[in-house]
Amino acid sequence: MTMNILITGTRKGIGNSLARYYLALGHNVIGCSRQHAEIEHEQYVHFCIDVSDEQQVISLVRQVKKSHGHIDVLINNAGIASMNHLLTTPATTVTKMMQTNFMGTFLFTREVAKLMMKKRSGSIVNFSTVAVPLDLAGEAVYVATKSAVESLTKVSAKELAPLGIRVNAIGPTPIPTDLIKTLPKDKVETLLEKQALPRLGTIEDIENVVDFLISERSSFITGQIIYLGGVF
């Protein structure tokens, strides 16, 4: 069955890879980011927006409703990170990360859920990080924003369940993308040592979990956070 899948943050990294993956499987993909994504496909539509701008998000969902009718899956992938010690983190950085990581997830969840509830079905997948359960030093603000996403995931899962909408989250270990290129090598190695499976993740690892969470066979699974790499 062909699905309409909305993925935020598709210009590069995980979001871009997921968009290409689901397009290759024959699904319709709606993507968005601040800039254009270099994805050329007849079943792909891209919007250039700020995910933390309420009116832009509302407008996007309205346009998708007109063009596609409904949304089956929402993948809240858009996110930014800044690895600073608490004492050297500017307030502007805190605001920017909270707006993108949490507000963006909240706005898309709220607006897409309004569309999903009309069919009384839908799956929402949010993105957290293994940095949350590991309480990684040097990532206080980033971890705080993703902790907020996890709380949103669990509570919204309860609120949206009566409407037929499931909400789950995935917490990846570091994936070789631009997001971790700026991280010191020793910091990455320290993180990997804390995993039961001490290796970097791959996009295939992400695809596998997302496939599982959005599958009709997972219709009894909601409000869950799945961490990769064996993090407890």
Side-chain angles (χ1 to χ4, degrees), residues 1 3 166 211-220:
M1 181 185 73
M3 296 187 292
R166 299 184 298 107
D211 277 345
F212 168 71
L213 291 175
I214 69 176
S215 169
E216 291 184 358
R217 298 181 67 182
S218 298
S219 61
F220 202 48

Side-chain angles (χ1 to χ4, degrees), residues 8-9 32-34 48-58 60 76 78-80 94-111:
T8 66
C32 69
S33 57
R34 291 177 183 271
C48 290
I49 72 163
D50 177 348
V51 297
S52 68
D53 187 303
E54 183 176 26
Q55 290 307 311
Q56 290 185 32
V57 174
I58 291 174
L60 182 154
N76 279 311
I80 56 175
V94 178
T95 299
K96 186 176 181 180
M97 276 200 285
M98 184 58 76
Q99 287 290 313
T100 300
N101 297 352
F102 175 75
M103 184 60 76
T105 298
F106 162 72
L107 289 174
F108 269 94
T109 296
R110 186 190 71 185
E111 293 307 308

Side-chain angles (χ1 to χ4, degrees), residues 9 24 34 46 57 84 87 100 109 117 137 140 160 170 176 180 184 186 188:
R34 291 177 183 271
H46 190 82
V57 174
N84 296 323
L87 299 179
T100 300
T109 296
M117 65 186 285
L160 298 177
I170 177 174
I180 69 165
D186 60 334
V188 174

Side-chain angles (χ1 to χ4, degrees), residues 115-142:
L115 192 54
M116 288 178 167
M117 65 186 285
K118 295 181 179 180
K119 286 188 63 178
R120 299 193 68 79
S121 69
S123 177
I124 298 173
V125 179
N126 297 327
F127 268 75
S128 182
T129 169
V130 294
V132 173
L134 293 177
D135 296 319
L136 290 181
E139 300 186 21
V141 176
Y142 178 60

Side-chain angles (χ1 to χ4, degrees), residues 10-184:
T10 53
R11 189 175 72 85
K12 58 183 179 180
I14 294 172
N16 186 280
S17 295
L18 285 174
R20 295 177 185 278
Y21 172 72
Y22 285 111
L23 286 169
L25 291 177
H27 299 297
N28 299 314
V29 177
I30 303 98
C32 69
S33 57
R34 291 177 183 271
Q35 301 174 34
H36 288 285
E38 295 181 354
I39 301 176
E40 298 293 337
H41 196 286
E42 61 182 9
Q43 289 175 249
Y44 180 76
V45 178
H46 190 82
F47 292 85
C48 290
I49 72 163
D50 177 348
V51 297
S52 68
D53 187 303
E54 183 176 26
Q55 290 307 311
Q56 290 185 32
V57 174
I58 291 174
S59 176
L60 182 154
V61 175
R62 285 177 178 172
Q63 290 181 66
V64 173
K65 180 182 178 181
K66 291 180 180 179
S67 62
H68 292 70
H70 66 277
I71 296 172
D72 299 295
V73 174
L74 166 64
I75 302 175
N76 279 311
N77 161 78
I80 56 175
S82 180
M83 313 309 180
N84 296 323
H85 190 281
L86 179 72
L87 299 179
T88 60
T89 303
T92 52
T93 297
V94 178
T95 299
K96 186 176 181 180
M97 276 200 285
M98 184 58 76
Q99 287 290 313
T100 300
N101 297 352
F102 175 75
M103 184 60 76
T105 298
F106 162 72
L107 289 174
F108 269 94
T109 296
R110 186 190 71 185
E111 293 307 308
V112 171
K114 292 176 183 177
L115 192 54
M116 288 178 167
M117 65 186 285
K118 295 181 179 180
K119 286 188 63 178
R120 299 193 68 79
S121 69
S123 177
I124 298 173
V125 179
N126 297 327
F127 268 75
S128 182
T129 169
V130 294
V132 173
L134 293 177
D135 296 319
L136 290 181
E139 300 186 21
V141 176
Y142 178 60
V143 167
T145 65
K146 291 300 188 178
S147 294
V149 168
E150 292 194 4
S151 293
L152 178 68
T153 298
K154 295 174 183 178
V155 178
S156 62
K158 292 181 178 180
E159 295 183 353
L160 298 177
L163 304 175
I165 302 168
R166 299 184 298 107
V167 188
N168 294 286
I170 177 174
T173 187
I175 307 290
T177 65
D178 290 345
L179 195 61
I180 69 165
K181 284 182 178 179
T182 58
L183 288 179

